[in-house]
Amino acid sequence: MNKRSVSAALLLLFLAFHISLFSAPARQISIGTGNTELVLLAGKDGRLYQLHYGAASPAGKPRQSASRDDEAYPQYGNGFLHEPALRVTHADGNTSTDLRYVSHTAADDPARAGVTHTRIELADPAYPGFRVALNYRAYAAENIIEQWAEITNNEPGAITLSRYASAALVAKSTAYHLTQIHGAYMREASLAEERLAPGIKILDTKLGVRAHQFRAPNFILSLDGPAREETGRVIGGALAWSGNFQFAFEIDNANRLRALCGINPFASEYILAPGDTFATPALLHTFSTEGRGGMSRNFHRWARAHGIRDGAKPRPVLLNNWEATHCDFDENKLISLFEGAREVGADLFLLDDGWFGNKYPRDNDRAGLGDWEVCRKKLPNGLTHLADAAIARGVAFGIWLEPEMVNPASELFEKHPDWVITQPKRELTYGRNQLILDLTRPEVRAFERSIIDNTLAPNPGITYVKWDCNRYVTQPGSSHLPAGRQSHLLIDYQHHLYDLMRHMAEKYPGVMAMLCSGGSGRVDYGAMRHFHSFWPSDNTDPHQRVFIQWGFSQFFPSNTLSAHVTNMGKKPLKFAIDVALSGAFGIDRDISRWTPAERAQVAAASKLYREHIRPITADGDLYRLASPYDQPRAVLEYVSQDRAAALVFIYNLGEVAYPAIKPLGLDPAKTYRVREINLAPGATSRLKPYAADGATLMRDGFAAPLRRSLESAIIEITAE
Ligand code: GLA
């Protein structure tokens, strides 16, 4: 074909495409879970609109059109008036995009019952090479929708993505209350709620790595006044992304709210070469008519079934040595710590930071990161010997890694000063005396992979890894990426990081893993799919932990929330134990510093955890019965899926007279026995064991058997 006939053929194709779009009938696309429905409309004009998100709607006469303000994934530059989901500069410089429906498919997941993937193809008639596929994976049993976009460039040249949200959910109400989860080191996961006003409210982070230290990528949007625990409509969202995120909540002139959720568009222009596809991270969202409680239960069930590693596998009781020793130990000291591990009921000894580095020994946080050879001075017989010594004493063995980082005082940095993320012409800035390795560099990727392989492959006795990450990006530059691609750094970093995490999970499926980031500076469902649990905070003072664990329980199930008994804050041991027992229980203390009676108390708690508590909390439905934000106490209840057993955790944080505790979620017709468990040695409960049917128990409740501040109780409710 000559040039003229090629352009004639292209024009015909373009017109045919255009005509087929505009003559298409309107069609509704329903994305449903057990109790919820997201209804979209491909209008007569071909644009995609959101008609409804909420409780499953009765089938009605399909609507034919909607307002432009209801667009499901609005694009910038051709008539849309508000904050768009997508902004693209096309190969020819045109900054407008106008997507129209092309087709859609819905397919059940062959491997997972109750999981349906709907994929909607959109294209811009003026740019036939540009495509967007909106993906919705609906989880029927858990009422979760996982939503992401795939953007494909088949234009003749590169295009630039300036805004590329994962989702742009529309909500309609008269008033919106937004809860965010914010915090800082040692004060993680605080809840803050506000009423939204017209305009845009942004929640975001720009920290790049350890990106969630000040703000978690989760939100709770209440449509019925301030969010309540068990009533009212809320939408919960969690972005599966460990890097910079942005949630932009815009209330428009018609009081409609759109939640734009995705990678933070700030400093994130992404250039897509011809033939490339960019997939956004997924937003997981749920709609609940049972307030925050219903939202949390949906997320917890989804996480256990689909979102985390081995959701049903019991988490071992850990004995960690960080608070006990910091980096100050040697082989004999560690072996002396193992000695008592079984005595207190630990399953696994987790060796924390400080085991590596020779020229620059890791004696504190100023040196050694990057030099992952075992420190010969501290551990002359190596890791295999150490793991064997733990195993010989009846406990498995795990280890701490921070593969992404380097101290300037290290052999690695001496050899490869150009491997770190920094900006040219600037003095290096440090966080915890360390720098971040640039994962966009292939040599760095190979190096970080070798840290995992060199630690785990020759040491099959290592069956647990704590993966840490202790600083933010403050100078976001790569000496590997070309000048025009610097804005790719923090996005590509995350993708390479996930490859590394996936490598560890897939190559070492028997090695369990805890996600850590100076506490929880990086906790999200993008990373958690490769981990079993996470470290919520270096703050293990149980009083503070009540709040921190409360905050994380909004989105994460109990078996992911590592909770260790320590001496921090010098609170009563019973209180510290009871707070840790509601999470993934562990210990971090040189146990020889406890009296024999205290050790016996911890041992009894470990046994109770293994036999009575973990089976219910790890798989149970959570009801938060009393919030420490409303009164100086917290009450949590876990109910087993068959409603045959429940546990109520009560933490007094002040001396106030409280109303009766009324459990929820029980079977009204079943008769239950109620008794206090985990009593302090020699103590008798103020709650006399009794029996009642579920209906009575839920109506009348029972008085907490506590009087003073920092007293706690665990009440077991079992069907007869
Ligand atoms: C971070 C973690 C701690 C511990 C130290 C080790 O602070 O949150 O739990 O592992 O690093 O340096």
Side-chain angles (χ1 to χ4, degrees), residues 291-318:
R292 286 178 180 165
M295 177 206 83
S296 297
R297 290 187 288 278
N298 290 344
F299 269 101
H300 296 177
R301 288 195 189 128
W302 174 84
R304 291 190 298 258
H306 307 284
I308 58 174
R309 264 182 81 192
D310 303 324
K313 191 168 170 176
R315 274 44 180 163
V317 174
L318 303 186

PDB file of all heavy atoms in Angstrom, residues 291-318:
ATOM      1  N   GLY A 291     -21.322   0.104  59.853  1.00  0.00           N
ATOM      2  CA  GLY A 291     -20.298   1.004  60.340  1.00  0.00           C
ATOM      3  C   GLY A 291     -18.880   0.492  60.132  1.00  0.00           C
ATOM      4  O   GLY A 291     -18.612  -0.329  59.255  1.00  0.00           O
ATOM      5  N   ARG A 292     -17.992   1.034  60.980  1.00  0.00           N
ATOM      6  CA  ARG A 292     -16.580   0.642  60.876  1.00  0.00           C
ATOM      7  C   ARG A 292     -16.382  -0.833  61.188  1.00  0.00           C
ATOM      8  O   ARG A 292     -15.489  -1.469  60.647  1.00  0.00           O
ATOM      9  CB  ARG A 292     -15.749   1.434  61.888  1.00  0.00           C
ATOM     10  CG  ARG A 292     -15.520   2.865  61.530  1.00  0.00           C
ATOM     11  CD  ARG A 292     -14.724   3.481  62.694  1.00  0.00           C
ATOM     12  NE  ARG A 292     -14.446   4.885  62.452  1.00  0.00           N
ATOM     13  CZ  ARG A 292     -14.034   5.715  63.404  1.00  0.00           C
ATOM     14  NH1 ARG A 292     -13.871   5.290  64.644  1.00  0.00           N
ATOM     15  NH2 ARG A 292     -13.781   6.985  63.130  1.00  0.00           N
ATOM     16  N   GLY A 293     -17.216  -1.353  62.085  1.00  0.00           N
ATOM     17  CA  GLY A 293     -17.071  -2.755  62.482  1.00  0.00           C
ATOM     18  C   GLY A 293     -17.272  -3.677  61.284  1.00  0.00           C
ATOM     19  O   GLY A 293     -16.460  -4.573  61.023  1.00  0.00           O
ATOM     20  N   GLY A 294     -18.371  -3.432  60.540  1.00  0.00           N
ATOM     21  CA  GLY A 294     -18.642  -4.260  59.361  1.00  0.00           C
ATOM     22  C   GLY A 294     -17.539  -4.117  58.334  1.00  0.00           C
ATOM     23  O   GLY A 294     -17.115  -5.084  57.692  1.00  0.00           O
ATOM     24  N   MET A 295     -17.065  -2.875  58.179  1.00  0.00           N
ATOM     25  CA  MET A 295     -15.961  -2.631  57.242  1.00  0.00           C
ATOM     26  C   MET A 295     -14.725  -3.441  57.630  1.00  0.00           C
ATOM     27  O   MET A 295     -14.111  -4.107  56.803  1.00  0.00           O
ATOM     28  CB  MET A 295     -15.633  -1.133  57.260  1.00  0.00           C
ATOM     29  CG  MET A 295     -14.464  -0.744  56.408  1.00  0.00           C
ATOM     30  SD  MET A 295     -13.657   0.768  57.008  1.00  0.00           S
ATOM     31  CE  MET A 295     -12.617   0.095  58.285  1.00  0.00           C
ATOM     32  N   SER A 296     -14.371  -3.400  58.911  1.00  0.00           N
ATOM     33  CA  SER A 296     -13.176  -4.120  59.363  1.00  0.00           C
ATOM     34  C   SER A 296     -13.344  -5.619  59.145  1.00  0.00           C
ATOM     35  O   SER A 296     -12.433  -6.303  58.682  1.00  0.00           O
ATOM     36  CB  SER A 296     -12.911  -3.864  60.844  1.00  0.00           C
ATOM     37  OG  SER A 296     -12.649  -2.502  61.057  1.00  0.00           O
ATOM     38  N   ARG A 297     -14.516  -6.136  59.482  1.00  0.00           N
ATOM     39  CA  ARG A 297     -14.718  -7.588  59.331  1.00  0.00           C
ATOM     40  C   ARG A 297     -14.575  -7.994  57.865  1.00  0.00           C
ATOM     41  O   ARG A 297     -14.023  -9.049  57.554  1.00  0.00           O
ATOM     42  CB  ARG A 297     -16.072  -8.012  59.919  1.00  0.00           C
ATOM     43  CG  ARG A 297     -16.098  -7.915  61.444  1.00  0.00           C
ATOM     44  CD  ARG A 297     -17.356  -8.492  62.055  1.00  0.00           C
ATOM     45  NE  ARG A 297     -18.553  -7.684  61.830  1.00  0.00           N
ATOM     46  CZ  ARG A 297     -18.890  -6.610  62.565  1.00  0.00           C
ATOM     47  NH1 ARG A 297     -18.125  -6.213  63.570  1.00  0.00           N
ATOM     48  NH2 ARG A 297     -20.001  -5.938  62.309  1.00  0.00           N
ATOM     49  N   ASN A 298     -15.080  -7.161  56.953  1.00  0.00           N
ATOM     50  CA  ASN A 298     -14.898  -7.469  55.525  1.00  0.00           C
ATOM     51  C   ASN A 298     -13.422  -7.518  55.162  1.00  0.00           C
ATOM     52  O   ASN A 298     -12.965  -8.444  54.494  1.00  0.00           O
ATOM     53  CB  ASN A 298     -15.602  -6.421  54.654  1.00  0.00           C
ATOM     54  CG  ASN A 298     -17.114  -6.515  54.745  1.00  0.00           C
ATOM     55  OD1 ASN A 298     -17.647  -7.520  55.209  1.00  0.00           O
ATOM     56  ND2 ASN A 298     -17.805  -5.476  54.294  1.00  0.00           N
ATOM     57  N   PHE A 299     -12.672  -6.507  55.595  1.00  0.00           N
ATOM     58  CA  PHE A 299     -11.234  -6.482  55.273  1.00  0.00           C
ATOM     59  C   PHE A 299     -10.509  -7.666  55.914  1.00  0.00           C
ATOM     60  O   PHE A 299      -9.638  -8.278  55.297  1.00  0.00           O
ATOM     61  CB  PHE A 299     -10.593  -5.161  55.704  1.00  0.00           C
ATOM     62  CG  PHE A 299     -10.629  -4.128  54.611  1.00  0.00           C
ATOM     63  CD1 PHE A 299     -11.569  -3.116  54.610  1.00  0.00           C
ATOM     64  CD2 PHE A 299      -9.740  -4.188  53.546  1.00  0.00           C
ATOM     65  CE1 PHE A 299     -11.627  -2.177  53.582  1.00  0.00           C
ATOM     66  CE2 PHE A 299      -9.785  -3.259  52.507  1.00  0.00           C
ATOM     67  CZ  PHE A 299     -10.727  -2.252  52.536  1.00  0.00           C
ATOM     68  N   HIS A 300     -10.849  -7.966  57.155  1.00  0.00           N
ATOM     69  CA  HIS A 300     -10.152  -9.059  57.845  1.00  0.00           C
ATOM     70  C   HIS A 300     -10.385 -10.387  57.129  1.00  0.00           C
ATOM     71  O   HIS A 300      -9.455 -11.155  56.908  1.00  0.00           O
ATOM     72  CB  HIS A 300     -10.627  -9.175  59.295  1.00  0.00           C
ATOM     73  CG  HIS A 300     -10.292  -7.967  60.124  1.00  0.00           C
ATOM     74  ND1 HIS A 300     -10.681  -7.839  61.431  1.00  0.00           N
ATOM     75  CD2 HIS A 300      -9.609  -6.834  59.831  1.00  0.00           C
ATOM     76  CE1 HIS A 300     -10.241  -6.678  61.914  1.00  0.00           C
ATOM     77  NE2 HIS A 300      -9.594  -6.049  60.952  1.00  0.00           N
ATOM     78  N   ARG A 301     -11.646 -10.630  56.778  1.00  0.00           N
ATOM     79  CA  ARG A 301     -11.946 -11.907  56.085  1.00  0.00           C
ATOM     80  C   ARG A 301     -11.222 -11.963  54.749  1.00  0.00           C
ATOM     81  O   ARG A 301     -10.677 -12.989  54.361  1.00  0.00           O
ATOM     82  CB  ARG A 301     -13.450 -12.022  55.822  1.00  0.00           C
ATOM     83  CG  ARG A 301     -14.239 -12.277  57.059  1.00  0.00           C
ATOM     84  CD  ARG A 301     -15.657 -12.740  56.678  1.00  0.00           C
ATOM     85  NE  ARG A 301     -16.468 -12.780  57.868  1.00  0.00           N
ATOM     86  CZ  ARG A 301     -17.662 -12.186  57.972  1.00  0.00           C
ATOM     87  NH1 ARG A 301     -18.176 -11.538  56.948  1.00  0.00           N
ATOM     88  NH2 ARG A 301     -18.328 -12.262  59.098  1.00  0.00           N
ATOM     89  N   TRP A 302     -11.247 -10.842  54.043  1.00  0.00           N
ATOM     90  CA  TRP A 302     -10.585 -10.809  52.731  1.00  0.00           C
ATOM     91  C   TRP A 302      -9.074 -11.045  52.899  1.00  0.00           C
ATOM     92  O   TRP A 302      -8.477 -11.820  52.152  1.00  0.00           O
ATOM     93  CB  TRP A 302     -10.836  -9.458  52.046  1.00  0.00           C
ATOM     94  CG  TRP A 302     -10.056  -9.337  50.786  1.00  0.00           C
ATOM     95  CD1 TRP A 302     -10.420  -9.803  49.556  1.00  0.00           C
ATOM     96  CD2 TRP A 302      -8.754  -8.758  50.636  1.00  0.00           C
ATOM     97  NE1 TRP A 302      -9.418  -9.555  48.646  1.00  0.00           N
ATOM     98  CE2 TRP A 302      -8.394  -8.924  49.283  1.00  0.00           C
ATOM     99  CE3 TRP A 302      -7.869  -8.136  51.509  1.00  0.00           C
ATOM    100  CZ2 TRP A 302      -7.168  -8.472  48.779  1.00  0.00           C
ATOM    101  CZ3 TRP A 302      -6.662  -7.692  51.021  1.00  0.00           C
ATOM    102  CH2 TRP A 302      -6.315  -7.853  49.671  1.00  0.00           C
ATOM    103  N   ALA A 303      -8.494 -10.387  53.895  1.00  0.00           N
ATOM    104  CA  ALA A 303      -7.044 -10.525  54.100  1.00  0.00           C
ATOM    105  C   ALA A 303      -6.689 -11.979  54.366  1.00  0.00           C
ATOM    106  O   ALA A 303      -5.750 -12.520  53.779  1.00  0.00           O
ATOM    107  CB  ALA A 303      -6.594  -9.639  55.256  1.00  0.00           C
ATOM    108  N   ARG A 304      -7.442 -12.607  55.249  1.00  0.00           N
ATOM    109  CA  ARG A 304      -7.105 -13.991  55.598  1.00  0.00           C
ATOM    110  C   ARG A 304      -7.266 -14.925  54.402  1.00  0.00           C
ATOM    111  O   ARG A 304      -6.477 -15.837  54.198  1.00  0.00           O
ATOM    112  CB  ARG A 304      -7.975 -14.475  56.765  1.00  0.00           C
ATOM    113  CG  ARG A 304      -7.649 -13.790  58.081  1.00  0.00           C
ATOM    114  CD  ARG A 304      -8.361 -14.479  59.243  1.00  0.00           C
ATOM    115  NE  ARG A 304      -9.806 -14.413  59.108  1.00  0.00           N
ATOM    116  CZ  ARG A 304     -10.593 -13.573  59.785  1.00  0.00           C
ATOM    117  NH1 ARG A 304     -10.075 -12.737  60.657  1.00  0.00           N
ATOM    118  NH2 ARG A 304     -11.895 -13.584  59.613  1.00  0.00           N
ATOM    119  N   ALA A 305      -8.290 -14.662  53.600  1.00  0.00           N
ATOM    120  CA  ALA A 305      -8.546 -15.570  52.475  1.00  0.00           C
ATOM    121  C   ALA A 305      -7.693 -15.234  51.256  1.00  0.00           C
ATOM    122  O   ALA A 305      -7.335 -16.124  50.490  1.00  0.00           O
ATOM    123  CB  ALA A 305     -10.035 -15.520  52.106  1.00  0.00           C
ATOM    124  N   HIS A 306      -7.377 -13.959  51.053  1.00  0.00           N
ATOM    125  CA  HIS A 306      -6.747 -13.568  49.784  1.00  0.00           C
ATOM    126  C   HIS A 306      -5.577 -12.604  49.909  1.00  0.00           C
ATOM    127  O   HIS A 306      -4.789 -12.480  48.978  1.00  0.00           O
ATOM    128  CB  HIS A 306      -7.788 -12.873  48.871  1.00  0.00           C
ATOM    129  CG  HIS A 306      -9.026 -13.663  48.659  1.00  0.00           C
ATOM    130  ND1 HIS A 306      -9.092 -14.739  47.819  1.00  0.00           N
ATOM    131  CD2 HIS A 306     -10.271 -13.535  49.189  1.00  0.00           C
ATOM    132  CE1 HIS A 306     -10.316 -15.245  47.835  1.00  0.00           C
ATOM    133  NE2 HIS A 306     -11.056 -14.535  48.661  1.00  0.00           N
ATOM    134  N   GLY A 307      -5.492 -11.853  51.003  1.00  0.00           N
ATOM    135  CA  GLY A 307      -4.628 -10.678  50.991  1.00  0.00           C
ATOM    136  C   GLY A 307      -3.265 -10.830  51.633  1.00  0.00           C
ATOM    137  O   GLY A 307      -2.386  -9.999  51.413  1.00  0.00           O
ATOM    138  N   ILE A 308      -3.078 -11.862  52.466  1.00  0.00           N
ATOM    139  CA  ILE A 308      -1.798 -12.022  53.157  1.00  0.00           C
ATOM    140  C   ILE A 308      -1.291 -13.437  52.933  1.00  0.00           C
ATOM    141  O   ILE A 308      -2.043 -14.307  52.478  1.00  0.00           O
ATOM    142  CB  ILE A 308      -1.921 -11.747  54.677  1.00  0.00           C
ATOM    143  CG1 ILE A 308      -2.959 -12.695  55.313  1.00  0.00           C
ATOM    144  CG2 ILE A 308      -2.285 -10.296  54.932  1.00  0.00           C
ATOM    145  CD1 ILE A 308      -3.033 -12.604  56.815  1.00  0.00           C
ATOM    146  N   ARG A 309      -0.048 -13.669  53.292  1.00  0.00           N
ATOM    147  CA  ARG A 309       0.490 -15.028  53.110  1.00  0.00           C
ATOM    148  C   ARG A 309      -0.080 -15.987  54.149  1.00  0.00           C
ATOM    149  O   ARG A 309      -0.170 -15.651  55.322  1.00  0.00           O
ATOM    150  CB  ARG A 309       2.021 -14.996  53.254  1.00  0.00           C
ATOM    151  CG  ARG A 309       2.716 -14.897  51.918  1.00  0.00           C
ATOM    152  CD  ARG A 309       4.209 -14.908  52.102  1.00  0.00           C
ATOM    153  NE  ARG A 309       4.737 -16.254  52.279  1.00  0.00           N
ATOM    154  CZ  ARG A 309       5.988 -16.499  52.690  1.00  0.00           C
ATOM    155  NH1 ARG A 309       6.799 -15.508  52.979  1.00  0.00           N
ATOM    156  NH2 ARG A 309       6.407 -17.727  52.804  1.00  0.00           N
ATOM    157  N   ASP A 310      -0.447 -17.162  53.683  1.00  0.00           N
ATOM    158  CA  ASP A 310      -0.884 -18.246  54.585  1.00  0.00           C
ATOM    159  C   ASP A 310      -1.857 -17.734  55.647  1.00  0.00           C
ATOM    160  O   ASP A 310      -1.611 -17.891  56.854  1.00  0.00           O
ATOM    161  CB  ASP A 310       0.334 -18.872  55.301  1.00  0.00           C
ATOM    162  CG  ASP A 310       1.376 -19.399  54.314  1.00  0.00           C
ATOM    163  OD1 ASP A 310       0.986 -19.921  53.256  1.00  0.00           O
ATOM    164  OD2 ASP A 310       2.585 -19.277  54.609  1.00  0.00           O
ATOM    165  N   GLY A 311      -2.953 -17.144  55.196  1.00  0.00           N
ATOM    166  CA  GLY A 311      -3.882 -16.486  56.124  1.00  0.00           C
ATOM    167  C   GLY A 311      -4.385 -17.385  57.241  1.00  0.00           C
ATOM    168  O   GLY A 311      -4.723 -16.903  58.319  1.00  0.00           O
ATOM    169  N   ALA A 312      -4.422 -18.691  56.970  1.00  0.00           N
ATOM    170  CA  ALA A 312      -4.987 -19.593  57.979  1.00  0.00           C
ATOM    171  C   ALA A 312      -3.914 -20.257  58.837  1.00  0.00           C
ATOM    172  O   ALA A 312      -4.230 -20.998  59.757  1.00  0.00           O
ATOM    173  CB  ALA A 312      -5.826 -20.667  57.286  1.00  0.00           C
ATOM    174  N   LYS A 313      -2.649 -19.986  58.513  1.00  0.00           N
ATOM    175  CA  LYS A 313      -1.579 -20.679  59.245  1.00  0.00           C
ATOM    176  C   LYS A 313      -1.357 -20.024  60.616  1.00  0.00           C
ATOM    177  O   LYS A 313      -1.222 -18.795  60.693  1.00  0.00           O
ATOM    178  CB  LYS A 313      -0.298 -20.570  58.409  1.00  0.00           C
ATOM    179  CG  LYS A 313       0.835 -21.447  58.866  1.00  0.00           C
ATOM    180  CD  LYS A 313       1.915 -21.455  57.785  1.00  0.00           C
ATOM    181  CE  LYS A 313       3.176 -22.099  58.262  1.00  0.00           C
ATOM    182  NZ  LYS A 313       4.173 -22.191  57.187  1.00  0.00           N
ATOM    183  N   PRO A 314      -1.289 -20.824  61.677  1.00  0.00           N
ATOM    184  CA  PRO A 314      -1.067 -20.208  62.992  1.00  0.00           C
ATOM    185  C   PRO A 314       0.274 -19.471  63.038  1.00  0.00           C
ATOM    186  O   PRO A 314       1.285 -19.987  62.566  1.00  0.00           O
ATOM    187  CB  PRO A 314      -1.047 -21.397  63.955  1.00  0.00           C
ATOM    188  CG  PRO A 314      -1.682 -22.521  63.216  1.00  0.00           C
ATOM    189  CD  PRO A 314      -1.450 -22.272  61.755  1.00  0.00           C
ATOM    190  N   ARG A 315       0.256 -18.277  63.576  1.00  0.00           N
ATOM    191  CA  ARG A 315       1.493 -17.501  63.727  1.00  0.00           C
ATOM    192  C   ARG A 315       2.233 -18.009  64.960  1.00  0.00           C
ATOM    193  O   ARG A 315       1.606 -18.174  66.025  1.00  0.00           O
ATOM    194  CB  ARG A 315       1.183 -16.011  63.900  1.00  0.00           C
ATOM    195  CG  ARG A 315       0.999 -15.201  62.627  1.00  0.00           C
ATOM    196  CD  ARG A 315       0.162 -15.843  61.581  1.00  0.00           C
ATOM    197  NE  ARG A 315       0.020 -15.010  60.373  1.00  0.00           N
ATOM    198  CZ  ARG A 315      -0.396 -15.471  59.205  1.00  0.00           C
ATOM    199  NH1 ARG A 315      -0.727 -16.738  59.038  1.00  0.00           N
ATOM    200  NH2 ARG A 315      -0.515 -14.660  58.161  1.00  0.00           N
ATOM    201  N   PRO A 316       3.549 -18.265  64.855  1.00  0.00           N
ATOM    202  CA  PRO A 316       4.278 -18.804  66.008  1.00  0.00           C
ATOM    203  C   PRO A 316       4.407 -17.760  67.124  1.00  0.00           C
ATOM    204  O   PRO A 316       4.353 -16.554  66.870  1.00  0.00           O
ATOM    205  CB  PRO A 316       5.656 -19.123  65.422  1.00  0.00           C
ATOM    206  CG  PRO A 316       5.799 -18.245  64.226  1.00  0.00           C
ATOM    207  CD  PRO A 316       4.423 -18.031  63.686  1.00  0.00           C
ATOM    208  N   VAL A 317       4.590 -18.243  68.338  1.00  0.00           N
ATOM    209  CA  VAL A 317       4.893 -17.338  69.461  1.00  0.00           C
ATOM    210  C   VAL A 317       6.386 -17.005  69.360  1.00  0.00           C
ATOM    211  O   VAL A 317       7.242 -17.877  69.456  1.00  0.00           O
ATOM    212  CB  VAL A 317       4.591 -18.031  70.810  1.00  0.00           C
ATOM    213  CG1 VAL A 317       5.041 -17.145  71.971  1.00  0.00           C
ATOM    214  CG2 VAL A 317       3.110 -18.359  70.920  1.00  0.00           C
ATOM    215  N   LEU A 318       6.688 -15.729  69.149  1.00  0.00           N
ATOM    216  CA  LEU A 318       8.080 -15.308  68.957  1.00  0.00           C
ATOM    217  C   LEU A 318       8.708 -14.882  70.276  1.00  0.00           C
ATOM    218  O   LEU A 318       8.061 -14.254  71.109  1.00  0.00           O
ATOM    219  CB  LEU A 318       8.162 -14.109  68.009  1.00  0.00           C
ATOM    220  CG  LEU A 318       7.568 -14.226  66.613  1.00  0.00           C
ATOM    221  CD1 LEU A 318       7.910 -12.969  65.813  1.00  0.00           C
ATOM    222  CD2 LEU A 318       8.093 -15.453  65.898  1.00  0.00           C
TER     223      LEU A 318
END
